[in-house]
């Protein structure tokens, strides 16, 4: 893969590869505008979604169901970071168990600098495109609301979802305080913690969480993801160290060239020119190494960092299943407790009214338990599909990252070799001490044919 330029990131096969999310390039985040509303300062972004019209003979991407269902339905709205955050959180609720693409993190300082605004714009665009292409998320109601609702509709949608979340939270707190199974949003870290919570909620929890045939499989998945996370952190740290060393080489070659430039100015015309040539080559190598470091950031450090964020997203999906498991278990134990209470009330004369009330409550819990069982099964199956997709897609992506890195190193070394090779004849012109046609151990040849043997090293 020869190139006439010393640029290691030139037009090569590795540099023109499109990212997977670019298949949804009809969705864009652009035109960031900073607003100052009193003490409130924020950045808005224009979000365009323009799926092309389906035309006879035009091939539609079979892996993009969003495009197939929304061809020609154009939309353009203004959104700010908090709106993207709303979409991210709603996706977790509407599609529990899905691996939701990572969202760029909040930043308290320098968030209005041009560099940061542009970096965030690109990250938000990547997030949106990944959601659109996501097989479990592309038809979520919150996504269509985010893309199409005008300001008033969108504000109403956010208000409704907030009230719904608040109502569910309050109902959970009240049910828990009464010994019920309402605090279903509790994310227990381990079985011991779950038992402690049930004890505090005055339930009759005495065993483990409800079991399913897939529990062993999920235990294996959790061990795999945890081990993968540890290994990828090491790889990511090494990639960061590699980039740092490339930057150090760039700085070192710059200082090296500066030293030769100063030395060349203090020497005679012939030797000075050759030292200046060495300084010029060092400057080229310094610039080459700097560009190489920037390419390593894009092609190595950033992909590994992104991979770590995706692994965290897998953990969140597994936690969502765990939440559903806790909820279902809590309901089953509450049903068990109420069945025992109902039996005692029926055996107690004069408690018919309370027994009837308990029976009605029991029926509501049984209906809720049936719904919780279905939710638990649905989320479990979604997590299994998602983990399978994660393994397939990330395996291919990792292969591409490694291949691109190898090609990048090949380009870098070839470019550096050309710079050194171009320097050699310039130094050999007229003979330079230690360089030339005299062969090893010889300092050039004078007109009288004398040679000087160099001392052994």
């Amino acid at each position: 893969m020869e190139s006439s330029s010393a640029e290691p990131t030139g037009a090569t096969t590795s540099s023109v590869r499109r990212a997977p999310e670019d298949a949804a390039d009809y969705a864009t985040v652009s035109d960031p505008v900073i607003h100052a509303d009193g003490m409130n300062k924020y950045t808005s972004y224009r979000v365009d979604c323009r799926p092309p019209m389906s035309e006879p003979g035009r091939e539609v991407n079979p892996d993009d169901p969003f495009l197939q269902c929304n061809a020609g339905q154009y939309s353009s709205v203004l959104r700010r970071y908090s709106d993207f955050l709303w979409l991210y959180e709603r996706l977790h609720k509407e599609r529990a168990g899905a691996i939701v693409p990572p969202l760029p993190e909040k930043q308290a300082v320098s968030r209005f600098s041009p560099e940061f605004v542009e970096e965030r714009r690109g990250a938000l665009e990547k997030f949106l495109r990944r959601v659109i292409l996501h097989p479990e998320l592309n038809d979520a109601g919150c996504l269509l609301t985010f893309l199409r609702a005008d300001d008033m509709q969108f504000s109403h949608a956010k208000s409704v979802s907030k009230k719904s979340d608040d109502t569910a939270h309050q109902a959970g707190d009240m049910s828990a305080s009464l010994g019920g199974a309402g605090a279903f949003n509790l994310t227990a870290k381990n079985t011991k913690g779950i038992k402690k919570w049930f004890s505090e909620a005055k339930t009759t929890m005495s065993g483990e969480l409800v079991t399913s045939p897939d529990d062993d499989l999920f235990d294996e998945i959790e061990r795999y993801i945890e081990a993968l996370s540890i290994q990828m952190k090491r790889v990511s740290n090494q990639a960061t160290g590699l980039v740092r060393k490339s930057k150090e080489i760039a700085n070192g070659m710059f200082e090296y060239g500066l030293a030769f430039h100063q030395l060349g100015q203090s020497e005679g015309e012939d030797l000075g020119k050759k030292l200046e040539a060495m300084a010029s080559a060092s400057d080229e190598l310094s610039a080459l190494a700097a560009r190489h470091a920037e390419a390593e950031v894009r092609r190595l450090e950033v992909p590994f960092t992104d991979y770590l964020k995706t692994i965290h997203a897998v953990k969140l999906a597994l936690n969502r299943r765990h939440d559903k498991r806790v909820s279902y278990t809590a309901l089953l134990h509450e049903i068990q407790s109420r069945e025992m209470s109902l039996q005692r009330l029926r055996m107690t004369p004069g408690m018919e009214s309370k027994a009837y009330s308990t029976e009605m409550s029991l029926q509501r819990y049984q209906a809720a338990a049936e719904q919780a069982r279905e939710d638990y099964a649905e989320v479990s199956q979604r997590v299994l599909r998602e983990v399978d997709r994660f393994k397939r897609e990330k395996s291919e992506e990792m292969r591409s990252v490694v291949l691109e890195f190898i090609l990048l190193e090949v380009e870098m070394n070839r470019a550096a070799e050309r710079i050194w090779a171009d320097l050699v004849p310039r130094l050999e012109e007229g003979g330079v001490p230690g360089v030339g046609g005299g062969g090893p151990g010889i300092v050039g040849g004078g007109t009288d044919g004398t040679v000087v043997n160099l001392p052994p090293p």
Side-chain angles (χ1 to χ4, degrees):
M1 191 190 318
E2 294 294 340
S3 171
S4 59
S5 170
E7 168 64 55
T9 57
T12 65
T13 303
S14 61
S15 62
V16 297
R17 184 184 73 88
R18 281 163 56 92
E21 59 269 11
D22 288 341
D25 56 4
Y26 51 81
T28 59
V29 178
S30 61
D31 301 340
V33 176
I34 297 176
H35 302 264
D37 183 12
M39 296 295 292
N40 184 24
K41 191 175 182 181
Y42 64 93
T43 304
S44 68
Y45 303 87
R46 173 176 167 174
V47 178
D48 289 293
C49 187
R50 300 179 179 275
M53 292 286 292
S54 56
E55 301 173 358
R58 184 188 183 116
E59 184 178 352
V60 179
N61 183 3
D63 298 326
D64 188 354
F66 182 90
L67 175 59
Q68 295 173 5
C69 299
N70 299 277
Q73 299 188 31
Y74 299 165
S75 63
S76 181
V77 294
L78 291 180
R79 297 289 183 255
R80 52 192 292 186
Y81 177 81
S82 59
D83 299 331
F84 282 88
L85 182 60
W86 174 86
L87 173 61
Y88 174 79
E89 293 174 346
R90 291 305 305 172
L91 287 170
H92 273 292
K93 288 180 169 59
E94 292 187 19
R95 294 292 191 273
I99 301 176
V100 180
L103 188 70
E105 299 174 354
K106 293 182 179 180
Q107 181 163 318
V109 296
S110 303
R111 58 193 180 102
F112 298 110
S113 67
E115 296 80 11
F116 175 78
V117 169
E118 173 57 25
E119 181 182 349
R120 171 169 280 184
R121 182 208 62 78
L124 292 174
E125 184 175 82
K126 178 187 289 188
F127 163 77
L128 181 60
R129 290 178 175 181
R130 287 177 172 180
V131 170
I132 287 175
L133 293 173
H134 198 299
E136 301 285 344
L137 306 177
N138 61 70
D139 62 344
C142 59
L143 174 60
L144 296 180
T145 299
F146 176 86
L147 291 172
R148 297 175 183 171
D150 59 30
D151 291 347
M152 185 175 296
Q153 293 170 334
F154 191 59
S155 177
H156 176 70
K158 290 196 294 184
S159 176
V160 169
S161 62
K162 185 177 186 303
K163 287 180 181 178
S164 175
D165 294 342
D166 290 344
T167 300
H169 182 70
Q170 290 171 4
D173 289 345
M174 181 178 296
S175 182
S177 66
L178 296 175
F184 302 144
N185 292 327
L186 175 68
T187 303
K189 299 298 183 182
N190 49 51
T191 305
K192 190 174 296 184
I194 295 167
K195 289 181 178 179
K196 181 175 181 291
W197 176 77
F198 277 117
S199 175
E200 291 174 350
K202 300 179 182 178
T203 66
T204 56
M205 175 73 172
S206 59
E208 300 294 335
L209 287 172
V210 64
T211 60
S212 72
D214 294 328
D215 286 346
D216 290 341
L217 177 58
F218 278 101
D219 289 341
E220 181 181 343
I221 290 173
E222 289 178 359
R223 289 193 296 270
Y224 163 74
I225 294 299
E226 188 59 37
L228 181 63
S229 176
I230 294 173
Q231 294 164 2
M232 282 306 306
K233 284 178 182 177
R234 293 172 181 167
V235 173
S236 180
N237 289 338
Q238 292 301 318
T240 301
L242 191 63
V243 171
R244 183 172 59 251
K245 289 183 183 300
S246 294
K247 292 179 179 179
E248 290 173 355
I249 290 174
N251 293 333
M253 290 306 300
F254 174 79
E255 297 293 340
Y256 189 65
L258 181 62
F260 267 91
H261 173 71
Q262 294 171 343
L263 181 61
Q265 289 182 329
S266 65
E267 292 291 341
E269 182 177 347
D270 186 51
L271 180 58
K273 288 181 179 179
K274 291 177 171 52
L275 294 174
E276 288 286 354
M278 182 65 190
S280 178
S282 297
D283 288 342
E284 286 187 66
L285 289 166
S286 174
L288 176 67
R291 293 193 298 270
H292 180 68
E294 293 173 0
E296 283 182 333
V297 170
R298 294 191 304 271
R299 300 192 192 182
L300 195 67
E301 187 176 27
V302 169
F304 284 146
T305 301
D306 187 64
Y307 194 85
L308 274 174
K309 292 179 180 179
T310 303
I311 292 174
H312 179 67
V314 178
K315 292 182 178 180
L316 291 179
L318 290 167
N319 286 342
R320 295 292 175 177
R321 176 187 179 267
H322 189 71
D323 292 346
K324 297 295 182 181
R325 189 182 184 187
V326 170
S327 299
Y328 183 36
T329 301
L331 283 167
L332 291 180
H333 282 269
E334 184 61 28
I335 289 172
Q336 182 183 20
S337 174
R338 288 177 183 264
E339 285 176 338
M340 294 172 63
S341 296
L342 180 59
Q343 186 177 5
R344 288 193 301 268
L345 290 170
R346 283 174 173 172
M347 296 174 62
T348 305
M351 301 297 292
E352 290 80 6
S353 176
K354 191 166 185 180
Y356 176 78
S357 175
T358 302
E359 184 177 4
M360 292 299 100
S361 175
L362 176 62
Q363 291 178 5
R364 289 194 295 271
Y365 270 95
Q366 288 172 336
E370 178 61 22
Q371 182 61 52
R373 184 189 66 81
E374 293 177 2
D375 290 346
Y376 177 44
E378 179 183 5
V379 170
S380 295
Q381 292 303 308
R382 181 177 289 132
V383 171
L384 289 177
R385 292 194 301 270
E386 285 286 81
V387 170
D388 180 65
R389 184 178 64 87
F390 166 78
K391 289 181 178 180
R392 286 185 284 103
E393 292 184 357
K394 290 307 173 182
S395 174
E396 175 61 25
E397 189 170 331
M398 186 61 63
R399 185 196 67 82
S400 298
V401 169
V402 172
L403 178 60
E404 285 192 356
F405 173 68
I406 293 172
L407 294 176
L408 178 66
E409 296 303 307
V410 170
E411 294 168 9
M412 165 66 179
N413 284 285
R414 286 178 175 173
E417 183 180 2
R418 284 193 294 273
I419 293 174
W420 287 121
D422 292 343
L423 176 63
V424 170
R426 297 172 64 185
L427 296 182
E428 287 181 336
E429 291 176 1
V432 178
V435 182
I442 300 176
V443 180
T447 53
D448 58 353
T450 16
V451 295
V452 179
N453 291 321
L454 290 176

